[in-house]
Amino acid sequence: DTSETRRFFRLFTLIWAGYFFLKSAVYLWLAATLPLTQALALRSALGGVSLGIMIALSVTQGRRLFRLCRRLGLLGAPEPAAGAP
């Protein structure tokens, strides 16, 4: 449990929040532009597929995303290891 890890999970939470915000915007657009039956059918298909992709990416690419965030400097300076001078 380091400050770098906590920052990563805060950023990761923001990514998920952005996903749900974008998903709700797409659902709103579908409801506004399509007939109800088509909107619901697309919503069911898109929602399940996109959630599955997000979960799969989170599980399989989490470490890579952590390293990318570290490389881009999004996590701040790493803490020294415990017991290090």
Side-chain angles (χ1 to χ4, degrees), residues 8-84:
F8 171 72
F9 280 109
R10 285 186 192 125
L11 180 61
F12 202 60
T13 301
L14 289 174
I15 291 170
W16 270 95
Y19 160 76
F20 285 113
F21 180 79
L22 181 62
K23 188 174 178 178
S24 68
V26 169
Y27 285 177
L28 180 63
W29 178 79
L30 286 173
T33 59
L34 296 175
L36 181 61
T37 54
Q38 288 179 339
L40 288 175
L42 277 174
R43 179 182 157 181
S44 296
L46 293 175
V49 170
S50 67
L51 182 62
I53 290 171
M54 276 296 286
I55 291 172
L57 288 174
S58 295
V59 170
T60 63
Q61 303 302 311
R63 289 180 191 260
R64 287 184 179 172
L65 182 59
F66 180 82
R67 288 192 298 266
L68 176 66
C69 290
R70 181 187 280 166
R71 200 172 327 125
L72 294 174
L74 298 174
L75 304 179
E79 292 177 350

